Amino acid sequence: MLKCILFDLDGTIGNTLPLCIAAFKKAIEPLAGRALSDQEIIDTFGPSEEGTVRALIPDDYDQGIADYLAHYRELHPLCPAPFDGMVEVLEYALSLGIRLGMVTGKGRHSTAITLDVFGIGSYFDVIETGSPYGPRKTEGILNALNLLGVNPQESVYVGDAPSDISASREAGVPVISAAWAETADRKLLESMCPDEFFTSVMELKLYLEQRAGNPLASS
């Protein structure tokens, strides 16, 4: 029986990765005195945004973080809402008595900004955020399950990155690859053989229907 769904945030709940990159460029380039490529920023991902700032402009860390968060909030209209159908998925899961959690590599402050803009913070019983010192998604998944009192095999993790598959397996949790964002590497995700591989939010809805044995009414 499915008792819990844990969600990633960037690229899973909403198309926020382009927003992150834009905010990093606006915050870091003036302090670094040079232009940054998207790939240069992406290569620092794993730690939270604090880790990205530390990697790229260690001498201007405090200013870089403050500027990043200011630009992240200012630019959030680039991604004003979750993916179409995602709120319906969250509400349907809750209607089935499924507990919801979030385990993201984002920092605490940027996570709070996005959940506030999206208006979905209240859907999640537990929220685990990232660390500036390195990836902690496996630890976050296990912490979330412990707080919810749910066993790994009664849960599923939904995420868009190859690292989400690896972290879920380390935690013993079945994983759904969310390959509906433009930033998802579909071929790579599929090659890693996740438990489920979905290219649209609708497929996630259908999955919940099947697990619940109660078809979701069409909207």
Side-chain angles (χ1 to χ4, degrees):
M1 180 180 177
L2 183 61
K3 294 185 177 180
C4 171
I5 305 174
L6 301 177
F7 285 90
D8 175 49
L9 180 50
D10 292 329
T12 299
I13 294 287
N15 191 33
T16 44
L17 282 169
L19 161 64
C20 295
I21 291 171
F24 276 127
K25 287 186 174 184
K26 287 200 73 170
I28 293 174
E29 287 181 345
L31 296 172
R34 63 184 181 87
L36 298 170
S37 68
D38 290 4
Q39 193 59 50
E40 189 174 0
I41 294 168
I42 291 167
D43 286 345
T44 69
F45 288 179
S48 61
E49 55 265 27
E50 292 88 353
T52 292
V53 172
R54 181 176 283 114
L56 295 173
I57 47 168
D59 294 337
D60 294 294
Y61 175 79
D62 290 340
Q63 187 64 52
I65 291 297
D67 290 352
Y68 173 77
L69 291 173
H71 290 307
Y72 186 80
R73 185 180 288 277
E74 167 200 334
L75 294 171
H76 219 298
L78 293 171
C79 183
F83 287 113
D84 288 344
M86 183 56 68
V87 171
E88 185 181 356
V89 167
L90 300 177
E91 291 181 346
Y92 182 59
L94 291 177
S95 77
L96 299 172
I98 296 172
R99 308 284 297 280
L100 300 181
M102 175 169 287
V103 182
T104 174
K106 291 174 79 68
R108 177 169 57 91
H109 299 295
S110 61
T111 297
I113 290 169
T114 292
L115 292 179
D116 179 56
V117 171
F118 286 175
I120 58 172
S122 63
Y123 290 96
F124 301 99
D125 290 325
V126 60
I127 297 172
E128 290 277 328
T129 54
S131 165
Y133 304 108
R136 64 170 301 273
K137 191 155 280 187
T138 300
E139 178 187 347
I141 290 171
L142 292 172
N143 284 350
L145 294 179
N146 182 59
L147 289 168
L148 294 171
V150 179
N151 294 324
Q153 288 303 314
E154 297 173 325
S155 308
V156 68
Y157 185 84
V158 184
D160 69 308
S163 57
D164 294 329
I165 298 174
S166 303
S168 297
R169 286 181 174 150
E170 288 176 14
V173 174
V175 59
I176 294 173
S177 279
W180 47 74
E182 63 190 30
T183 50
D185 187 335
R186 293 185 177 185
K187 289 184 178 179
L188 178 56
L189 291 171
E190 200 164 18
S191 74
M192 294 179 70
C193 301
D195 295 278
E196 302 287 349
F197 175 84
F198 299 149
T199 59
S200 71
V201 176
M202 178 57 69
E203 289 179 276
L204 181 58
K205 294 179 185 178
L206 295 174
Y207 169 84
L208 289 181
E209 287 182 25
Q210 294 163 2
R211 292 293 300 261
N214 179 21
L216 180 63
S218 27
S219 51

